Amino acid sequence: MNLRRLADAEVAGKRVLLRTSLNVPLRADGTVADDFRLRRGLPTLEHLVRQGAKVIAVGYLGREGASLKPVADHLARLAPRIPLRFFGESPARAAEHTASLASGEVAVLENIRREAGEEANDPALAEVLASLADLFVDDAFAEAHRPYASNVGVAQLLPSYAGLLLEEEVARLSEALTPPPGAFAVVGGAKFETKQPVLRKLSTLYGRVAVGGALANDFLKARGLSVGASLVSDIPVPDDLAKSACLLLPTDVVVSSSRGGKRICRVDEIRSDETIVDNGPETSRAWSEEISKSSFVLWNGPLGVFEKDFTEGTDALASALSAASCRAAVGGGDTLAAIEKFSFEGDRVFRSTGGGAMLDFLAEGTLPALEPLRMPPL
Ligand code: ADP
Ligand code: MG
């Protein structure tokens, strides 16, 4: 995918509207619980500051109406050498403040989600945003699947470029869309309905696709097995998908019973009061073995209810990936949280900042916010 690159933009002395991902989980007291996305956005911010741009940063925070102040404060602590101020203004009121920005300074505007026109991609809001700057840089891959005013609308009005993180995300996930022979995909987590498009796509691209987590329950059920009281999706897995030749399903699982006990059993031995909570050891060994002989690994979705300490299946896969030497792409908010304790050498294993955006990119090969950043064909 050919996107206009930040590296090719002349930004010195220019007012740059930077759409960056400030959409991070917050604690009950409003402080930042996980700053992975903020840290991944720093190279673009640092590049703009070093080049002498006047940066107006815009972010979208999922929690309704929440202020970006604690996020901006956290960002300022992460990058103490960057002169960064939180303006806390809406775009319409920002012009008078941003006019006084010096080269190399950063102003962070208030949560753009507070603007009624944001999610509607209202042209009036896009116009106001565009009036603040000379050019636009989109670095918010995590929200690139949403066609909003602050990514799609404004990009159509200003000279627009992909930021360094966005560019890297697209490159690494494009690699996952053109896997070499012998590649292995693992999809876990929950909500089959949201993962069906990506599963379909991967089953055409990857020689082997392992399905775990709550998704496996849906596939086991589609194959006529009883999954007891396990979490299943509202929609059934279509027959052709359930029978695809590339599919790998757990052969044993950890189940917990309504009486509080847990045991390991084969997938055809689940009792009516039992709930599948994790991969069993035989499945973990088999999938780890697959990883060790894979040319490339793509992974989304935890393989068990990791929040309740059913982490063994997920840990086994992450250990196998850590011990392997193939390149890999891993993503999903819960997946990254579940494998946080693992480290991978160098840039071999790419951790995507996208959850929904990663799944949509893999399923569609593009995203709404990427389209206006494309180079015109020669
Ligand atoms: P991601 O955010 O990485 O894309 P998802 O949101 O799709 O992942 O899924 C994560 C959720 O799936 C977690 O809350 C986890 O507890 C749940 N999960 C995984 N395995 C099971 C299972 N066997 N039964 C119920 N929930 C599961
Ligand atoms: Mg999730």
Side-chain angles (χ1 to χ4, degrees), residues 239-282:
D239 224 31
D240 61 319
L241 189 57
K243 288 188 179 138
S244 34
C246 62
L247 209 67
L248 241 64
L249 290 178
T251 52
D252 65 340
V253 286
V254 180
V255 292
S256 75
S257 79
S258 50
R259 293 182 301 275
K262 66 166 189 171
R263 66 179 186 117
I264 292 160
C265 69
R266 296 181 48 80
V267 289
D268 56 1
E269 293 172 349
I270 300 160
R271 299 176 192 141
S272 60
D273 70 324
E274 287 177 328
T275 306
I276 301 174
V277 289
D278 203 355
N279 274 351
E282 179 185 272

Side-chain angles (χ1 to χ4, degrees), residues 191 195 302 332-335:
K191 293 173 298 224
K195 300 203 173 173
D334 292 294
T335 312

